[in-house]
Structures are given as structure tokens and as C-alpha cells.
Amino acid sequence: MTVPALLAATAPSPLTTSYARLAEVFPGLRAEMLPDDAAAPSGSGWVGAAELAAGGAALDEFMAWDEAQVLRDYGMRARPDVVASFALHRYAWPACLLVTLPWFTHRRVPRIPVEDVSFHRGLGHLILRVREFACLPDDPAAGTPGARVVPDESALRAEVLDSVAQHIGPVLDGFRPRMRRGKRALWGMATDEIVEGLWYIAHLLGEEARAMRELELLLPGTTKPYVGTAGFRELTGPDGGSLPTRTRASCCLFYTLRPEDTCVTCPRTCDADRVRKLAAAA
């Protein structure tokens, strides 16, 4: 299947502009819409989200990519649960953006069950079919096919969380036997992927501050099955400037490969190290 030729004939969707913005600011990741009458791509590096959720051979192949990368980049083998954590992150981070980015940019929230998403990790390419999306009453797309109008911003935030849970929940179930983590820990990972994915892309869009405010409203810490809040806070840099940070609800387990090189939002990273790393990046 030649995917670019297939998608060239796709009619514009109310979500197309949001995904185009993603490709503009982060060329390493593309998300494109699939026509209703077209088959999803398969083979040649493509994997369906439903295949990952099934937890079989397709998931084994998906994880083998991470296992090989760790061995190549770090000269050591990672524990199987670490490999599974890396692989889950590399799917969940972009998959959550399929929902959160259109909400952030255009106040439109697509429904994307696992049957309607395919991913090619080597190309950084997501293909999805959207049959339904939620929007606000004053949205120009409110009268288009598949639109479902909700009354206000609060209801739209609930749609975001429900849509992500509908998609990522089955994927977590597929990964869970490969990981040394319970259900709560896995949903902590999902919470982190929602927050850190949109936070990063919003920074590239020049809208980091707004994203932080909206993520705080989206995840107040009381919405199950999610675990924890957006949890943003500010540190003071060496020059007196503000350095935004947060502490993840979960750990990516990178410390098992490089104990001295933890992530800047890792629960294991102290504030002094955060300031040093953030100031250097700035």
C-alpha cells in the first residue's frame, strides 16, 4: 500500500488543521486522516493499536525495536519490563496527542478507538480514522458529519479524558503482562503522557503557558482512572528567571541504564539537578 498516494485524495477534516500544525512544529511526527472507505495500512513497519492491545506477536515485534535500540545505544541489555516501558512510552506519547492537540488548538476532541489507529514508529507516522468528534456549540464545524456538540469547556475536558481512556486503556492492558507495574502505575504513565506530550508541543507552538493552565484544569487529580495532577511548578534559575517543571506520576526506568542521568521531570531528580539541566537547555 502506498500511503501518501492513498491520503492525497482525502477530503479535509475538521481535525486536519490541528494535525498539520503538529507536522509543522515537530516534523518527526505526522498524523493523517484515513477515508472511511480505505483500508488501514499494514505490514512494512505498520502496527495497529488494536494489535498492541491484543498483546501478541505484533507487540513482541514492536518491543524488539526498543530492545535493539538499547543494546545499540548503551551496549547493554535492558530488563524486559524496562523494554516494555520504553515501548509503551513511544506509542502512548504520540497517541495521546491525537486527542489532546485538536482539543488545545481548535476545541475539537476526536474519538479514536484502537481499531482506528495505525502507527509506523520508524517514520513517526500515525494514520487514524475519525468517525466522531466532540466540539462546542459555537464551533463552525458543529454541523459537520460526526460532530457531537457538548455544552461547555468543562464537558469538553471530560470528553478529552474519556477519549484518551477509551484508546489507551486497551493498550495498557496489552502491555501490562510485560511490565512489573499494577493498574494504578500504568494509569500514572498515561497521565504523564497526556501532560508531557501536549506541554512539549505547546512549547514549540509558542503557547506553553496556556497549555500549562489548561492541563491543570484537565487533570485536577480527581478523575479516575488517571493518577495525579498536571503538577506544574516553577523553579528559579541561576539568573533569577523562572524554570517550569513538574514531577512525573510514574518513572520511565531510564535510570536502570544510566543512574546518573535521570530525566528532568523524574521523581528521582532533585530540584538542584533540575535547575542545572533546565538552565543548560535554555
Side-chain angles (χ1 to χ4, degrees):
M1 174 179 292
T2 305
V3 176
L6 172 71
L7 296 181
T10 303
S13 156
L15 305 167
T16 301
T17 303
S18 294
Y19 297 143
R21 293 296 309 280
L22 173 64
E24 288 172 6
V25 299
F26 190 46
L29 182 63
R30 288 186 297 151
E32 295 185 80
M33 308 290 292
L34 189 69
D36 288 342
D37 58 351
S42 61
S44 301
W46 288 96
V47 64
E51 295 179 283
L52 298 180
L59 179 55
D60 290 334
E61 184 176 349
F62 190 79
M63 289 171 45
W65 194 96
D66 294 275
E67 186 173 25
Q69 183 189 38
V70 168
L71 185 59
R72 181 180 66 250
D73 292 351
Y74 302 106
M76 60 184 295
R77 292 193 178 277
R79 297 189 329 232
D81 61 306
V82 174
V83 171
S85 293
F86 288 2
L88 176 57
H89 164 67
R90 286 174 175 136
Y91 177 75
W93 193 92
C96 288
L97 282 168
L98 295 178
V99 177
T100 60
L101 188 61
W103 164 68
F104 181 71
T105 58
H106 289 84
R107 287 303 190 257
R108 296 167 187 167
V109 180
R111 288 280 169 170
I112 50 165
V114 290
E115 294 79 13
D116 289 338
V117 178
S118 299
F119 183 44
H120 193 301
R121 65 183 304 166
L123 299 176
H125 195 171
L126 289 149
I127 291 181
L128 65 156
R129 194 192 317 272
V130 176
R131 308 174 196 272
E132 176 185 330
F133 67 96
C135 63
L136 296 171
D138 61 351
D139 191 321
T144 60
R148 184 166 50 83
V149 176
V150 298
D152 53 30
E153 291 281 1
S154 178
L156 200 63
R157 287 193 292 270
E159 289 287 334
V160 173
L161 296 180
D162 194 50
S163 179
V164 172
Q166 180 191 44
H167 182 85
I168 213 69
V171 176
L172 296 181
D173 289 341
F175 273 89
R176 185 175 177 180
R178 321 297 179 98
M179 303 173 71
R180 298 177 182 175
R181 306 198 194 199
K183 185 175 181 179
R184 178 178 172 82
L186 289 176
W187 280 103
M189 292 182 69
T191 304
D192 289 329
E193 304 298 2
I194 289 172
V195 175
E196 300 202 350
L198 184 59
W199 184 24
Y200 180 75
I201 298 300
H203 170 74
L204 299 180
L205 290 169
E207 295 195 74
E208 181 179 12
R210 181 168 76 87
M212 292 166 66
R213 292 193 301 270
E214 299 216 15
L215 285 164
E216 292 280 8
L217 292 172
L218 181 69
L219 290 160
T222 56
T223 308
K224 302 297 182 182
Y226 299 98
V227 176
T229 68
F232 291 111
R233 57 194 179 91
E234 294 188 358
L235 300 174
T236 302
D239 62 354
S242 174
L243 298 173
T245 189
R246 68 181 295 266
T247 299
R248 292 173 56 90
S250 65
C251 179
C252 71
L253 304 181
F254 183 72
Y255 77 90
T256 62
L257 301 177
R258 291 290 186 272
E260 72 285 355
D261 190 19
T262 56
C263 306
V264 73
T265 57
C266 178
R268 294 171 173 265
T269 304
C270 68
D271 281 356
D273 285 343
R274 290 175 190 236
V275 168
R276 176 177 54 81
K277 292 179 180 184
L278 288 169

